[in-house]
Amino acid sequence: MTIERSEAETVAYTVENRIAWVRFNRPEKRNCMSPKLNRQMMRVLDELEFRDDVGVLVLTGEGSAWSAGMDLKEYFRETEAQGLGATRQAQRESYGWWRRLRWYQKPTVAMVNGWCFGGGYGPLFSCDLAFASDDAIFGLSEINWGILPGGGASKVVADLMPLRQALYHAMMGENIDGKTAAEWGLVNESLPADQLKERVVAVCQVLLEKNPVALKATKDAIRRVKEMTYDNAEDYLVRAQEAANSFDNDGRKEGIRQFIDEKSYKPGLGAYDKSKQAQ
Ligand code: COA
């Protein structure tokens, strides 16, 4: 199907009840990532990151795909034809928004509604949490067309999957469904397609109740400490906590007050009531 989308039309988004729903928007191309889409996604992330009416971001896809990975024509063939400079620029534009998303200010959730291939593993990993439809299909198809899983995809499976599954997945070029993706650690959960959105909304609602400064510090901490020794992690966490405290003294004090003095909640069983916090 020949649909010429403007750069701005390659990504769609809406904000409802403090949830930003960001959608890969090239369904006719199975939402594969072209240089245009990569540039537009960075603009959309910029636009949403510090908006007061956004508390959590969900990344999903229009149509039958989440994302069929990199655009083999526009990202690979056409940029390679323009030489190394263009190739490196296209890489920077895609890796750039994935990195931006990995360290995003707001919590992020991937809602994998369909096909998820190759380069798609980059943004999948960038999202803090991931939920898939049982009938979503995941694959490292690179081996099927003659390259290695680059653009971070090898790193993603090595980090998320047990080694045997990572090697099998990357070397065999066989696809897995949402259920297997959950078993192998690529996503948190897999659900029947008609329950996926409801579950993601419920997760977002929980996140929206949490202290936002603590959430940002927590998500960064988990990613950072993964590659540290225990002692380095301990030190990093002391400093990260102190830095978070200086951003949000009131929230933390209120959390302690409601537990210790008011006895109105238990941090082990739920979050404190943010509405009682003095603004
Ligand atoms: N790059 C470029 N174009 C792509 C694409 C990609 N990664 N994925 C899909 N498309 C295009 C197809 O060329 C087709 O374009 P056309 O209508 O102009 O012919 C259109 O999107 C629809 O794709 P189609 O293959 O007809 O859809 P499908 O639903 O039958 O199959 C897939 C879906 C995802 C299985 C199949 O499109 C596919 O294998 N895509 C490549 C996946 C891949 O290897 N990605 C890794 C890249 S790192």
Side-chain angles (χ1 to χ4, degrees), residues 1 28-30 32 68 70-72 115 117 119 141-142:
M1 199 193 312
E28 69 286 353
K29 295 288 179 188
R30 304 302 178 261
C32 65
M70 307 320 291
D71 187 319
L72 270 60
W115 304 110
F117 282 103
S141 52
E142 284 87 342

Side-chain angles (χ1 to χ4, degrees), residues 71-263:
D71 187 319
L72 270 60
K73 178 169 168 283
E74 294 183 34
Y75 177 86
F76 284 109
R77 194 164 68 187
E78 290 176 3
T79 54
E80 279 166 16
Q82 294 168 50
L84 188 61
T87 302
R88 291 283 181 264
Q89 181 180 338
Q91 288 166 338
R92 279 196 304 275
E93 286 167 352
S94 54
Y95 304 169
W97 77 261
W98 304 346
R99 187 179 312 113
R100 181 70 179 281
L101 196 59
R102 277 201 302 283
W103 303 105
Y104 209 59
Q105 186 69 25
K106 310 286 168 65
T108 54
V109 181
M111 184 170 90
V112 185
N113 51 302
W115 304 110
C116 178
F117 282 103
Y121 284 31
L124 177 69
F125 180 71
S126 297
C127 291
D128 304 320
L129 304 175
F131 296 83
S133 166
D134 288 343
D135 56 12
I137 300 288
F138 296 78
L140 283 185
S141 52
E142 284 87 342
I143 198 69
N144 292 337
W145 61 279
I147 67 164
L148 64 76
S154 295
K155 172 71 174 154
V156 171
V157 294
D159 270 9
L160 294 183
M161 290 180 178
L163 186 67
R164 290 288 174 217
Q165 274 95 333
L167 283 164
Y168 188 95
H169 194 55
M171 293 170 71
M172 296 292 284
E174 291 174 7
N175 297 331
I176 57 176
D177 62 11
K179 280 201 165 99
T180 308
E183 279 165 25
W184 288 9
L186 260 188
V187 297
N188 292 88
E189 285 172 36
S190 171
L191 303 106
D194 61 356
Q195 294 169 29
L196 179 62
K197 187 167 182 189
E198 193 185 337
R199 173 68 178 132
V200 167
V201 169
V203 167
C204 290
Q205 280 164 350
V206 172
L207 294 170
L208 287 169
E209 291 302 310
K210 307 292 186 203
N211 176 316
V213 175
L215 265 184
K216 167 68 172 149
T218 299
K219 59 184 243 173
D220 287 2
I222 297 291
R223 286 187 191 268
R224 295 278 186 213
V225 301
K226 193 164 188 303
E227 292 177 4
M228 292 182 191
T229 62
Y230 195 97
D231 282 352
N232 286 345
E234 201 175 66
D235 189 49
Y236 166 86
L237 291 169
V238 166
R239 284 156 219 289
Q241 181 59 61
E242 284 167 3
N245 291 352
S246 70
F247 268 108
D248 181 40
N249 268 319
D250 293 341
R252 177 177 67 104
K253 285 179 187 158
E254 180 62 18
I256 294 175
R257 190 190 70 76
Q258 287 179 22
F259 176 51
I260 299 294
D261 304 329
E262 199 176 274
K263 300 194 186 306

